Amino acid sequence: TTIAGLMPLIIANNPDAQQTVPMAIAVAYGLIVSTFSTLIVLPVLLSLFNGIRRYAVKWKTGVMPTAEEIESSVKELDIDAQFAEGSEV
């Protein structure tokens, strides 16, 4: 919605708005790039690095671990669940 809100300023032909058009373009471009990188690029990279880590563990131990055993956020959820139950880690 922010990018849509900047569109009237980006396409403005008013001579008074010509100073703010480059700023609006930069803000809209930054929002598009950051949204794309957060929703697409970052999850792909995390998945790729976790796959590499799984194969590194397999190479060292000879046993392929599950993705849940490698992913640190899943480990943190398990620790939080154990603390919630009252058992010690």
Side-chain angles (χ1 to χ4, degrees):
T1 58
T2 305
I3 297 168
L6 288 170
M7 288 308 294
L9 187 56
I10 291 171
I11 61 174
N13 289 332
N14 187 356
D16 296 334
Q18 292 303 314
Q19 293 179 343
T20 58
V21 170
M23 181 265 317
I25 292 172
V27 170
Y29 181 74
L31 286 169
I32 291 169
V33 169
S34 64
T35 300
F36 177 76
S37 65
T38 301
L39 296 177
I40 307 282
V41 175
L42 187 62
V44 168
L45 288 176
L46 288 173
S47 177
L48 178 71
F49 288 134
N50 283 337
I52 291 170
R53 194 179 317 161
R54 285 181 67 200
Y55 281 104
V57 170
K58 180 183 177 188
W59 183 71
K60 288 180 183 177
T61 63
V63 177
M64 177 68 91
T66 64
E68 290 80 17
E69 293 172 340
I70 295 296
E71 180 60 45
S72 60
S73 62
V74 175
K75 292 178 185 177
E76 291 174 11
L77 288 175
D78 290 342
I79 292 171
D80 291 342
Q82 289 176 358
F83 280 131
E85 293 173 358
S87 62
E88 295 184 18
V89 177

